[in-house]
Amino acid sequence: MKKKIRVLVAKPGLDGHDRGAKVIVRALRDAGMEAIYTGLRQTPEQIVQAALQEDVDAIGVSILSGAHNYVMPRIMELVQKNQMDDVMVFMGGIVPDQDIAELKKIGVKGIFLPGSSLDEIVNFVKENVRQD
Amino acid sequence: MKNEKNTAVINESDETTVEQKRWEKETHDPSLKKMPERKIPFTTVSGMSIKNLYAPADVQGIDFNKEIGWPGEYPYTRGIHPTMYRSKLWTMRQFTGFGTAAQTNERLRYLVSSGGTGLSIAFHLPTLMGHDSDHPNSRGEVGKCGVAIDSLQDMETLFSGIPLDHVTTSMTTNAPATILLSMYRAAAEKQGCNAQSLSGTIQNDILKEYLAQKTYIYPPRPSMRLIVDTFSYCAKELHRWNSISISGYHIREAGSTAVQELAFTLYDGIEYVRWALEAGLEIDEFAPRLSFFFNAHNDLFEEVAKYRAARKIWARVMKERFKAKNARSWLLRFHTQTAGCSLTAQQPYNNVVRVAIQALAAVLGGTQSLHTNSLDETLALPTEEAVTIALRTQQIIAHESGVTNTVDPLAGSYFVERLTKDMEDATYAYFDKLDSMGGMVAAIERGYPQKEIADASYEYARACERNEKIIVGVNQFYTDDDPKLLETLYIDENIEKEQIERVQALKKSRDQDEVSRTLDRVREAARGTANMMYPIYDAVRAYATLGEICDAMRDVFGEYTEPEIV
């Protein structure tokens, strides 16, 4: 049997708006993936640690507070440090246009802004995780 | 409540019912054969089924005098004032807060000079979570979602040049509400204002934080004690101040239906009243200062019905369940904000229209105060241009639309009265369920309302995906090259550095012994049962920071972690 795609959905920073993160978890599960939710206010260290322990194929980060310019570089740094080259990182939330190019440059594979559809996100994950 | 005698809103005679049946057979059904209905589910935004037509038969059993009645009289379905907007328009209160206290001060002065009639402060997340800007968890968050307030010094800057005895201010703060209210009072007194002259609202609604917005610090029980302490403090020290704004706004933003918003908000109110009574307060001593805060989503009639039902249910709860004697205790006064969650990043100019419809619903529903969202709020905090359009939207409704010329103009609409009654009944059903669980704190500890909201939120998202709900510019009528806004507000990353320097300089310059003494008294009060507001006020005046005061309470109360619900 083909191994199920495992995704960690993470909510870093101080913001508690978790509607989006929870909806994504359910949508990924409905699409046949294993989705694990970190709960609120996780530090980048805790998120990467959880991704390692859970042996996930992807990390989806939900941020709407504007803290992405600190949180995402730190997550990418830890992902590299732990040699998690096969883990795809994507994010969703409110990201100003001028920050998008920099986030892509440090390796954030997909950035989903408000209004993105669930199917679009689910398909993106399916197409972009490394499946052996 | 069943009425023995049916006296319809307008006409419910058998003759009318017979006529309706005739109309269906002779006129409606043949027409339907030629022109079938569109193949979509006819529901409210929240999913409540809507019939093709409402007629006198739909309002049978709704007694006009008892259930609808007269504005300014129990049960207040038609409004809390007899004359409503013919006498006084609602307060136009735009939510403001970004960057530093000095930057936000500039925007506040701009709004006052543009005809805004009340201030509303949004604090940044570190302040809401009880951390100073130099706390490690504040990294990346300083000044982003609101204004950075670490101490009384920042609060003084925030209101510099704004006479606090001449404006009303709403502060959106919950877990550290006791501290920010104390800072506001201290800043006002430094301006020479008398505390009893201060007018405004602190949100101070911790229950909805566990339900929806999640900016809690302490566990529910000590948090409830802080709320009760502010009720009793405001009754004595700040008698023109609204001690709470019980908020459905965030519950709706988290994905609830309109009925869930109504039921959980009003039930949160019931829970606060119960705790205050158990602490020995008299109902009429604090109840007149309780206020509410609702969301206004796109479905105009569902929203109007929600506000009308809210007033009626609350009046009944206060009078019949809690035996309040003062008529002011029965009144549900509320602020409304248009639905941030309904706005789209695609074709953002469409948001102006959404906001206008939502604001109209709030006004037709009899709100006392209104915040209209800006068209760019799915992308960033609003620019000055965007916030001005939002404010102008309110002014056009107030002065050009004509809807303020009469009180509760939708009353007597078969549809609105039926929907009002249906929402009321559905709310009482939730009340019964929550009563059976032992109240809202117990229900939250079981995760019940959180799960209800998460389920509704997922159902709504899926309905949009299935195109059962059309979102213009998103799943229908989209274009490949949507016009983007030219400019959005960008919060400079350097603000964080400046704010950290400011709070650290303050910590070096103040009387440290006095700070330590006052913080010890906060800890001591937390361990006992005395009103927390007094030692917190002393600590604030000694320039103890918000993070330090919150930490003193954390030492005693601990921090809350929610049960996992996905």
Side-chain angles (χ1 to χ4, degrees):
Chain A
M1 201 172 94
K2 201 175 164 193
K3 185 178 152 271
K4 278 188 176 181
I5 296 172
R6 283 170 71 79
V7 185
L8 183 77
V9 175
K11 186 90 185 103
L14 297 179
D15 166 46
H17 290 91
D18 54 0
R19 176 178 179 171
K22 286 178 173 173
V23 166
I24 297 298
V25 169
R26 289 196 190 195
L28 295 173
R29 283 180 190 166
D30 282 358
M33 300 184 213
E34 287 176 15
I36 306 140
Y37 176 48
T38 61
L40 292 171
R41 287 184 264 282
Q42 301 295 299
T43 62
E45 290 75 13
Q46 288 168 321
I47 291 167
V48 175
Q49 194 56 39
L52 267 174
Q53 278 171 4
E54 298 285 350
D55 189 23
V56 295
D57 304 299
I59 304 174
V61 187
S62 168
I63 312 179
L64 61 70
S65 73
H68 51 268
N69 286 339
Y70 163 71
V71 171
M72 296 313 293
R74 182 68 184 138
I75 287 177
M76 298 314 297
E77 189 185 320
L78 292 165
V79 163
Q80 276 161 19
K81 207 165 144 186
N82 288 287
Q83 291 155 358
M84 298 155 70
D85 309 331
D86 52 345
V87 176
M88 189 271 286
V89 179
F90 64 107
M91 72 169 292
I94 296 183
V95 182
D97 279 351
Q98 60 256 59
D99 296 343
I100 289 176
E102 188 57 31
L103 291 168
K104 291 234 164 121
K105 209 162 91 185
I106 60 171
V108 180
K109 189 87 181 167
I111 299 172
F112 295 93
L113 301 180
S116 307
S117 80
L118 295 179
D119 288 342
E120 193 187 334
I121 297 169
V122 165
N123 290 336
F124 172 86
V125 174
K126 280 183 186 161
E127 282 160 18
N128 286 280
V129 294
R130 205 173 88 181
Q131 287 171 288
D132 301 322
Chain B
M1 195 179 284
K2 284 255 168 12
N3 294 298
E4 285 174 13
K5 191 178 156 227
N6 288 339
T7 48
V9 180
I10 293 179
N11 186 346
E12 65 178 35
S13 66
D14 290 343
E15 199 185 321
T16 314
T17 309
V18 171
E19 271 296 290
Q20 186 174 348
K21 291 203 172 115
R22 181 202 55 75
W23 168 81
E24 280 168 9
K25 200 172 153 207
E26 293 178 10
T27 308
H28 173 264
D29 296 349
S31 169
L32 192 63
K33 279 189 190 131
K34 277 188 260 166
M35 277 195 294
E37 289 185 340
R38 287 177 289 133
K39 298 277 176 236
I40 56 156
F42 290 93
T43 67
T44 63
V45 157
S46 296
M48 206 181 260
S49 262
I50 301 295
K51 294 174 24 172
N52 65 334
L53 187 79
Y54 288 80
D58 294 293
V59 294
Q60 276 186 8
I62 301 177
D63 181 304
F64 182 88
N65 284 315
K66 285 188 186 148
E67 306 266 343
I68 301 168
W70 305 94
E73 286 184 5
Y74 186 83
Y76 304 97
T77 310
R78 305 197 61 184
I80 60 164
H81 300 303
T83 56
M84 290 300 288
Y85 305 133
R86 282 175 75 100
S87 297
K88 186 177 176 286
L89 292 170
W90 62 93
T91 305
M92 299 183 191
R93 203 187 281 286
Q94 298 300 103
F95 194 51
T96 314
F98 58 90
T100 63
Q103 282 177 311
T104 299
N105 175 262
E106 247 177 71
R107 177 67 68 87
L108 292 176
R109 290 191 199 208
Y110 170 77
L111 285 169
V112 170
S113 72
S114 303
T117 51
L119 308 178
S120 181
I121 310 300
F123 299 98
H124 74 162
L125 282 162
T127 297
L128 297 178
M129 291 301 297
H131 297 308
D132 290 337
S133 294
D134 59 351
H135 189 279
N137 291 357
S138 305
R139 288 196 64 179
E141 310 269 12
V142 177
K144 288 279 172 59
C145 279
V147 58
I149 300 290
D150 290 321
S151 71
L152 173 58
Q153 183 187 54
D154 293 327
M155 195 65 108
E156 290 166 20
T157 307
L158 183 65
F159 294 111
S160 164
I162 300 170
L164 294 182
D165 47 359
H166 283 82
V167 291
T168 75
T169 305
S170 167
M171 291 189 287
T172 306
T173 168
N174 298 294
T178 50
I179 302 164
L180 289 152
L181 178 60
S182 300
M183 285 182 186
Y184 188 83
R185 177 182 177 175
E189 285 179 342
K190 280 183 177 256
Q191 285 186 359
C193 307
N194 179 336
Q196 294 288 16
S197 70
L198 300 178
S199 174
T201 307
I202 34 167
Q203 196 167 84
N204 201 25
D205 173 8
I206 202 66
L207 288 172
K208 70 99 180 21
E209 295 296 340
Y210 304 109
L211 290 190
Q213 191 169 241
K214 315 290 172 71
T215 36
Y216 42 69
I217 303 175
Y218 316 113
R221 289 166 198 276
S223 296
M224 288 296 283
R225 174 211 170 169
L226 290 173
I227 310 269
V228 172
D229 284 352
T230 56
F231 287 1
S232 118
Y233 178 84
C234 288
K236 288 187 191 71
E237 307 281 338
L238 297 163
H239 71 252
R240 294 180 58 203
W241 195 269
N242 294 320
S243 53
I244 196 166
S245 169
I246 305 161
S247 305
Y249 184 79
H250 316 85
I251 293 173
R252 191 66 181 280
E253 290 291 297
S256 81
T257 63
V259 167
Q260 288 171 346
E261 177 193 353
L262 183 61
F264 293 153
T265 308
L266 296 181
Y267 201 90
D268 281 350
I270 291 173
E271 189 81 1
Y272 292 122
V273 171
R274 282 180 43 204
W275 280 65
L277 294 176
E278 275 165 28
L281 272 63
E282 291 290 332
I283 183 82
D284 287 317
E285 178 189 359
F286 66 90
R289 299 314 306 177
L290 306 178
S291 65
F292 288 82
F293 174 17
F294 290 108
N295 200 299
H297 213 291
N298 285 331
D299 192 319
L300 191 137
F301 292 108
E302 179 172 53
E303 296 303 296
V304 171
K306 181 181 76 184
Y307 308 126
R308 298 175 85 251
R311 270 192 298 273
K312 185 175 167 189
I313 297 166
W314 187 246
R316 196 152 287 172
V317 163
M318 294 307 284
K319 190 173 180 214
E320 292 179 10
R321 181 165 179 167
F322 292 115
K323 314 289 179 215
K325 300 274 185 303
N326 181 353
R328 291 193 60 79
S329 300
W330 306 336
L331 299 183
L332 180 143
R333 296 167 300 123
F334 71 105
H335 170 71
T336 309
Q337 183 175 339
T338 58
C341 65
S342 74
L343 304 185
T344 62
Q346 294 90 335
Q347 301 181 13
Y349 291 98
N350 297 347
N351 294 332
V352 175
V353 183
R354 294 189 177 99
V355 167
I357 293 169
Q358 295 164 4
L360 183 63
V363 171
L364 290 171
T367 195
Q368 275 62 62
S369 160
L370 177 60
H371 166 125
T372 32
N373 287 73
S374 299
L375 74 156
D376 53 357
E377 284 188 46
T378 45
L379 305 162
L381 294 183
T383 62
E384 194 170 282
E385 187 192 13
V387 81
T388 303
I389 297 173
L391 177 59
R392 296 289 179 253
T393 304
Q394 294 200 40
Q395 291 163 337
I396 290 167
I397 291 171
H399 303 290
E400 297 185 23
S401 75
V403 299
T404 54
N405 288 334
T406 191
V407 180
D408 191 29
L410 294 184
S413 147
Y414 304 120
F415 177 40
V416 169
E417 296 300 356
R418 181 70 258 158
L419 201 52
T420 303
K421 188 72 174 75
D422 288 347
M423 294 185 92
E424 184 190 352
D425 292 345
T427 299
Y428 284 128
Y430 264 119
F431 282 9
D432 290 345
K433 181 116 191 165
L434 291 159
D435 279 342
S436 76
M437 290 181 180
M440 189 55 103
V441 169
I444 286 169
E445 286 168 346
R446 285 170 60 168
Y448 167 72
Q450 298 96 309
K451 181 155 190 321
E452 287 284 298
I453 295 167
D455 289 349
S457 155
Y458 190 56
E459 185 44 47
Y460 181 80
R462 277 300 180 199
C464 294
E465 296 270 310
R466 289 190 298 258
N467 282 8
E468 285 172 11
K469 292 186 193 295
I470 290 172
I471 314 289
V472 173
V474 177
N475 59 8
Q476 287 273 315
F477 314 113
Y478 45 82
T479 45
D480 290 335
D481 50 347
D482 291 342
K484 289 272 177 198
L485 286 182
L486 295 177
E487 191 194 342
T488 52
L489 185 79
Y490 191 79
I491 308 293
D492 193 325
E493 301 287 336
N494 287 326
I495 282 169
E496 180 160 323
K497 194 167 151 273
E498 287 167 31
Q499 185 65 20
I500 289 172
E501 283 167 8
R502 195 172 300 116
V503 67
Q504 289 182 341
L506 172 82
K507 284 175 181 169
K508 285 190 192 118
S509 68
R510 59 193 184 174
D511 179 345
Q512 198 52 48
D513 289 343
E514 179 63 6
V515 170
S516 304
R517 266 195 301 277
T518 57
L519 289 175
D520 284 344
R521 281 203 291 273
V522 170
R523 257 181 230 105
E524 198 182 313
R527 280 192 287 266
T529 55
N531 191 310
M532 294 292 300
M533 288 296 298
Y534 294 94
I536 288 172
Y537 182 57
D538 291 340
V540 159
R541 278 193 304 178
Y543 290 91
T545 63
L546 180 125
E548 290 169 331
I549 300 170
C550 284
D551 282 346
M553 289 193 273
R554 270 188 191 95
D555 291 346
V556 180
F557 299 150
E559 277 193 345
Y560 180 68
T561 312
E562 67 174 358
E564 190 184 321
I565 292 135
V566 177

